[in-house]
């Protein structure tokens, strides 16, 4: 099943590369299974947390091409929300789809990506498959990150990214709501159905697949990202380790 | 039940107007008098049309109305100890605002005075009478999420300091001027002092107390305030439940001297949201939602109009019952002491940049 999903996304990626005339001179893989050495394996970075990426493995920061997050980043960069003070992030997932470490990796990168800053310190508290993090950026922004993989298997991903400034707030969560919204709600003889379709060129893929393909495409189209994302991956691995150190030693960890 | 003859002190607390309506409408009470802290506050009270005498001296009020049985202590935190001594000495029962005092020596004195004078002292923690919280408690106690791993909550609002200035003055809000940290431009007394509810809720839900707490203050959204307006708090309870609290004043407001329509800049001016994760799943709660929404007068700004049930119904019923029957309320000084202690510990953590352990 995973192999057929990977194959479908690889086909979609190649179609995009062909459509936009992006030349790649080696075989590409989006699969997590081991690949021949001449094949470039493009994986979401959390798949490469356990050990250093091999020379043919490229970590992807897949959420960085998600329109919601690029718009939040732009809101900060363009000072639509001025002088950011507080970020409130939350990510609840099910263990069949995500690990705690993957979510730590993702959410800390989102703090840095949206703010344009770098992590200076972390303090974390963990209990079972949930972890809370207070993080300070070098821009002065204080961030809270709430992470859990205690949703039942198959549950939809629940996340919130709220930015609070001296002027204005921004969020991917509607005011006065608690859960993520969909574009379509069906109450039919088929039961309750919900859909959020965000990409016409990749219609039919789920959000994770879309992010995987789009981020791979973006990296191949913009080669400067190869080194940037590889360096950021190593930085994030260090931060994930710092979070666990903080949680186990019950102390604030300053990031060198 | 014979109505309780009740008065209000000072009228400087943000909930004062709520008590005007409650004491006027609630059949358990006979509203006798108020004392205002200043002539300006007196004039504001008189303009509201309540046929209630208004004094500028609380001792004079109590002397003129010796039949007063109870007071709502609607004053700045710094005034509570002197008012407590005055009322306890006369055997007058007290409904205290959510922070009796941050000075634990004063706190011990309040407990002693209440016991020695056999008075009821109930703390205003209205979420105990909120139907969403009641449902949430029922779900959790029935095992909806199993063993709790995390209890995360917000208690975030706009800042009331433009209408109730004492909440931005360290000596009046915290009780003394203590630097927040090595950053000597800010002092204890801001948003944390306004937001004890979630610290109380986790104790109530988990039946446990705090093991350690770690807090950081963020940059001020309102740089001119001399107290903190953003903060994050994390830690663990003694039973292992971890928590993350946001008690910030992170909802921007128009700087109105009298709260009213148009107060909100951020659409939702107040929020207590809870997220509880456990072995069997997750429960999310909005204690003050859903609501209705408009963007009409006065400034065409999208605004949440709350529709929540009046928590003061249950709160005042309990107070009245305790006064008449002599029992102590569930939310009393002894219960609340550990909540105030952990709030003090948050400030200590900010200063030391380390977790603070509670006994």
């Amino acid at each position: 099943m995973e192999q057929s999903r990977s194959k479908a996304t690889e086909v979609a990626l190649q179609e995009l590369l062909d459509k936009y005339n992006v030349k790649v001179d080696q075989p590409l893989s989006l699969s997590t299974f081991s690949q021949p050495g001449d094949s470039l394996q493009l994986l979401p970075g959390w798949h490469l947390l356990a050990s250093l990426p091999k020379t043919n493995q490229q970590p992807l920061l897949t959420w960085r091409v998600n329109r919601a997050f690029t718009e939040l980043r732009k809101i900060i960069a363009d000072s639509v929300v001025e002088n950011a003070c507080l970020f409130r992030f939350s990510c609840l997932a099910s263990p069949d789809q995500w690990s705690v470490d993957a979510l730590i990796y993702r959410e800390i990168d989102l703090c840095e990506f949206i703010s344009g800053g770098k992590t200076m310190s972390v303090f974390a508290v963990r209990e079972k498959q949930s972890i809370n993090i207070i993080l300070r950026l070098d821009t002065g922004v204080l961030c809270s990150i709430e992470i859990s993989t205690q949703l039942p298997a198959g549950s939809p991903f629940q996340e919130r990214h709220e930015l609070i400034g001296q002027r204005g707030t921004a969020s991917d969560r509607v005011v006065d709501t608690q859960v993520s919204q969909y574009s379509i709600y069906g109450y039919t003889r088929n039961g309750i159905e919900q859909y959020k379709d965000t990409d016409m060129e990749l219609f039919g893929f789920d959000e994770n697949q879309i992010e995987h393909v789009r981020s791979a495409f973006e990296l191949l189209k913009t080669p400067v990202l190869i080194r940037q994302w590889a360096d950021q991956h190593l930085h994030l691995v260090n931060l994930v380790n710092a979070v666990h150190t903080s949680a186990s030693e019950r102390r604030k960890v300053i990031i060198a | 039940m014979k109505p309780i003859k009740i008065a209000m002190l000072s009228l400087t607390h943000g909930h004062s107007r709520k008590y005007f309506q409650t004491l006027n409408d609630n059949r358990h009470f006979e509203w006798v008098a108020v004392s205002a802290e200043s002539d300006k506050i007196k004039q504001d009270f008189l303009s509201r049309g309540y046929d209630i005498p208004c004094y500028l001296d609380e001792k004079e009020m109590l002397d003129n109305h010796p039949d007063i049985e109870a007071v709502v202590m609607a004053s700045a935190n710094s005034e509570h100890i002197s008012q407590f001594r005055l009322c306890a000495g006369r055997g007058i029962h007290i409904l205290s605002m959510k922070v009796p005092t941050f000075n634990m020596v004063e706190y011990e004195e309040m407990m002693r005075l209440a016991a020695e004078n056999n008075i009821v002292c109930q703390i205003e923690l209205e979420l105990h009478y909120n139907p969403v919280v009641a449902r949430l408690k029922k779900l959790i106690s029935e095992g909806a999420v199993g063993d709790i791993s995390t209890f995360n909550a917000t208690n975030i609002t706009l800042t009331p300091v433009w209408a109730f200035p004492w909440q931005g003055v360290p000596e009046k809000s915290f009780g003394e001027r203590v630097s927040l940290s090595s950053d000597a431009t800010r002092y204890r007394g801001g948003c944390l002092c306004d937001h004890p509810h979630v610290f109380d809720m986790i104790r109530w839900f988990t039946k446990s107390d705090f093991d350690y707490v770690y807090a950081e203050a963020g940059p001020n959204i309102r740089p001119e305030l001399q107290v903190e307006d953003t903060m994050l708090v994390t830690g663990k309870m003694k039973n292992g439940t971890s928590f993350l609290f946001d008690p910030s004043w992170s909802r921007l407001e128009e700087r109105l001297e009298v709260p009213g329509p148009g107060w909100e800049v951020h659409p939702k001016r107040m929020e207590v949201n809870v997220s509880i994760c456990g072995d069997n799943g997750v429960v999310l709660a909005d204690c003050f939602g859903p609501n209705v929404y408009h963007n009409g007068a006065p400034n065409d700004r999208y605004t949440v109009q709350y529709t929540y049930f009046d928590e003061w119904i249950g709160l005042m019923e309990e107070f009245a019952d305790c006064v008449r029957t002599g029992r102590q309320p569930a939310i009393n000084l002894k219960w609340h002491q550990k909540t105030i202690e952990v709030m003090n510990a948050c400030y200590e953590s900010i200063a030391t940049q380390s977790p603070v352990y509670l006994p």
Side-chain angles (χ1 to χ4, degrees):
Chain A
M1 170 99 154
E2 196 274 339
Q3 279 189 303
S4 66
R5 278 171 58 91
S6 295
K7 192 67 188 161
T9 52
E10 285 165 3
V11 169
L13 173 61
Q14 192 58 55
E15 286 174 355
L16 280 178
L17 293 170
D18 292 341
K19 179 176 178 180
Y20 292 99
N21 205 30
V22 177
K23 302 291 182 214
V24 179
D25 56 10
Q26 63 187 126
L28 302 172
S29 169
L30 301 182
S31 168
T32 56
F33 292 105
S34 190
Q35 299 297 314
D38 63 339
S39 173
L40 181 61
Q41 195 178 17
L42 301 157
L43 293 174
W46 70 78
H47 284 293
L48 301 169
L49 278 172
S51 56
L52 281 174
K54 296 178 189 151
T55 50
N56 71 326
Q57 290 179 323
Q58 174 64 41
L60 301 174
L61 304 175
T62 56
W63 41 87
R64 288 192 175 201
V65 299
N66 184 310
R67 184 72 184 272
F69 300 131
T70 60
E71 291 299 333
L72 286 177
R73 174 180 160 90
K74 196 162 179 295
I75 283 170
I76 295 292
D78 292 350
S79 298
V80 172
V81 167
E82 290 178 10
N83 299 327
C85 295
L86 204 60
F87 283 2
R88 298 181 53 240
F89 288 10
S90 169
C91 209
L92 307 177
S94 56
D96 54 317
Q97 298 171 64
W98 290 91
S99 69
V100 169
D101 280 3
L103 294 177
I104 295 171
Y105 181 97
R106 178 185 194 259
E107 293 302 305
I108 292 186
D109 186 64
L110 278 170
C111 277
E112 296 192 352
F113 176 64
I114 291 172
S115 68
K118 283 294 188 203
T119 304
M120 275 179 46
S121 66
V122 296
F123 187 97
V125 180
R126 179 161 187 169
E127 181 63 23
K128 297 181 182 175
Q129 298 312 306
S130 297
I131 190 165
N132 290 321
I133 305 167
I134 292 178
L135 177 155
R136 178 88 62 170
L137 296 167
D138 63 353
T139 56
V141 177
L142 190 66
C143 312
S144 63
I145 304 176
E146 306 167 55
I147 283 168
S148 179
T149 57
Q150 290 185 288
L151 287 179
S155 298
F157 198 63
Q158 293 293 343
E159 59 182 334
R160 176 200 71 232
H161 303 88
E162 182 180 323
L163 324 173
I164 298 159
Q166 290 182 346
R167 177 185 185 180
T169 59
S171 181
D172 58 355
R173 176 75 59 79
V174 183
V175 172
D176 216 32
T177 64
Q178 296 183 78
V179 296
S180 306
Q181 302 295 293
Y182 290 83
S183 313
I184 292 177
Y185 299 87
Y187 304 95
T188 69
R189 280 177 291 186
N190 298 330
I192 298 174
E193 296 170 291
Q194 299 168 333
Y195 299 93
K196 185 170 123 180
D197 296 290
T198 58
D199 194 318
M200 195 63 214
E201 287 178 315
L202 297 174
F203 189 85
F205 289 101
D206 64 38
E207 199 160 6
N208 287 334
Q209 290 175 305
I210 291 171
E211 285 186 356
H212 194 172
V213 172
R214 284 280 175 200
S215 59
F217 174 70
E218 193 62 31
L219 182 133
L220 293 168
K221 183 166 71 77
T222 316
V224 68
L225 289 177
I226 294 172
R227 184 58 191 263
Q228 276 184 16
W229 284 8
D231 287 346
Q232 179 68 1
H233 170 77
L234 295 176
H235 171 63
L236 291 170
V237 169
N238 184 38
L239 290 174
V240 171
N241 290 335
V243 165
H244 287 304
T245 298
S246 173
S248 64
E249 296 180 12
R250 292 187 179 180
R251 65 178 177 89
K252 177 175 170 178
V253 173
I254 307 292
I255 309 301
Chain B
M1 183 172 76
K2 182 181 159 207
I4 295 162
K5 293 182 189 292
I6 193 164
M8 283 184 70
L9 303 179
S10 299
L11 313 187
T12 55
H13 193 273
H15 289 166
S16 295
R17 289 182 306 162
K18 178 63 191 169
Y19 285 101
F20 298 164
Q21 174 224 323
T22 300
L23 299 189
N24 194 61
D25 297 346
N26 193 314
R27 61 188 169 79
H28 293 309
F29 298 93
E30 181 185 334
W31 192 8
V32 174
V34 299
S35 67
E37 189 173 275
S38 67
D39 190 62
K40 181 179 176 188
I41 292 171
K42 177 177 177 176
Q43 296 310 316
D44 174 77
F45 176 76
L46 293 175
S47 72
R48 295 176 187 276
Y50 296 106
D51 184 21
I52 300 291
C54 181
Y55 295 82
L56 286 172
D57 183 306
E58 55 209 21
K59 191 168 177 300
E60 182 188 350
M61 177 187 74
L62 296 178
D63 286 343
N64 284 359
H65 301 275
D67 54 346
I68 288 173
E69 300 173 85
V71 297
V72 177
M73 201 162 66
S75 52
N77 296 342
S78 58
E79 306 306 306
H80 291 168
I81 184 61
S82 62
Q83 291 177 338
F84 207 103
R85 290 168 182 151
L86 177 68
C87 293
R90 293 172 182 238
I92 295 173
H93 306 286
I94 297 168
L95 179 61
S96 170
M97 297 300 99
K98 53 201 169 186
V99 175
T101 177
F102 282 105
N103 181 309
M104 300 317 291
V105 172
E106 289 180 358
Y107 202 103
E108 289 281 348
E109 183 183 343
M110 288 179 180
M111 289 200 291
R112 180 178 58 75
L113 287 170
E116 285 175 357
N117 293 282
N118 201 29
I119 61 167
V120 169
C121 178
Q122 181 170 325
I123 313 298
E124 181 209 64
L125 287 174
E126 63 272 22
L127 280 167
H128 285 258
Y129 313 94
N130 176 300
V132 176
V133 175
R135 172 67 65 184
L136 183 63
K137 184 124 195 332
K138 186 173 189 294
L139 286 170
I140 298 304
S141 65
E142 289 171 353
V145 302
D147 281 344
I148 299 175
S149 301
T150 62
F151 183 111
N152 294 349
T154 57
N155 186 183
I156 53 183
T157 67
L158 43 66
T159 182
V161 302
W162 318 114
F164 309 100
W166 66 266
Q167 290 194 257
V169 177
E171 292 87 346
K172 291 184 180 290
S173 176
F174 182 68
E176 57 179 315
R177 180 167 286 251
V178 179
S179 286
L180 199 57
S181 64
S182 56
D183 166 11
T185 61
R186 291 189 297 170
Y187 302 89
R188 299 181 185 186
C191 57
L192 179 65
C193 296
D194 196 28
H195 295 146
H197 294 288
V198 291
F199 298 92
D200 169 74
M201 274 181 76
I202 193 173
R203 293 178 56 221
W204 181 29
F205 273 59
T206 62
K207 299 185 174 57
S208 184
D209 278 307
F210 293 93
D211 182 14
Y212 71 91
V213 69
Y214 175 84
E216 288 195 41
N220 267 25
I221 294 171
R222 307 161 189 83
E224 64 270 62
L225 290 185
Q226 57 180 328
V227 295
E228 84 284 355
D229 69 2
T230 66
M231 185 184 292
L232 296 172
V233 181
T234 189
K236 277 209 178 191
M237 307 299 283
K238 293 193 192 297
N239 73 346
T241 302
S242 64
F243 58 87
L244 189 139
F245 295 153
D246 182 351
S248 301
W249 283 334
S250 56
R251 278 29 192 148
L252 273 175
E253 69 288 331
E254 293 289 356
R255 299 183 176 190
L256 306 181
E257 284 192 10
V258 179
W263 201 10
E264 300 84 353
V265 170
H266 184 84
K268 190 173 185 182
R269 70 174 182 269
M270 175 268 294
E271 168 188 311
V272 175
N273 282 23
V274 183
S275 162
I276 302 176
C277 299
D279 291 344
N280 297 344
V282 176
V283 172
L284 308 175
D286 177 351
C287 300
F288 296 103
N291 297 293
V292 298
Y293 315 93
H294 72 87
N295 69 334
N299 50 28
D300 307 302
R301 191 180 280 152
Y302 196 72
T303 305
V304 168
Q305 173 57 55
Y306 291 96
T307 61
Y308 59 87
F309 185 81
D310 186 351
E311 299 153 308
W312 269 261
I313 292 175
L315 189 156
M316 297 307 285
E317 279 178 0
E318 174 156 16
F319 184 58
D321 183 69
C322 290
V323 168
R324 281 288 173 255
T325 63
R327 72 177 177 89
Q328 281 297 316
I331 317 307
N332 55 57
L333 282 166
K334 183 65 184 167
W335 162 260
H336 198 46
Q337 188 177 22
K338 287 193 185 294
T339 294
I340 301 299
E341 285 174 353
V342 76
M343 293 168 76
N344 276 322
C346 290
Y347 280 127
E348 191 183 334
S349 178
I350 290 170
T352 60
Q353 299 186 52
S354 297
V356 173
Y357 288 81
L358 286 298

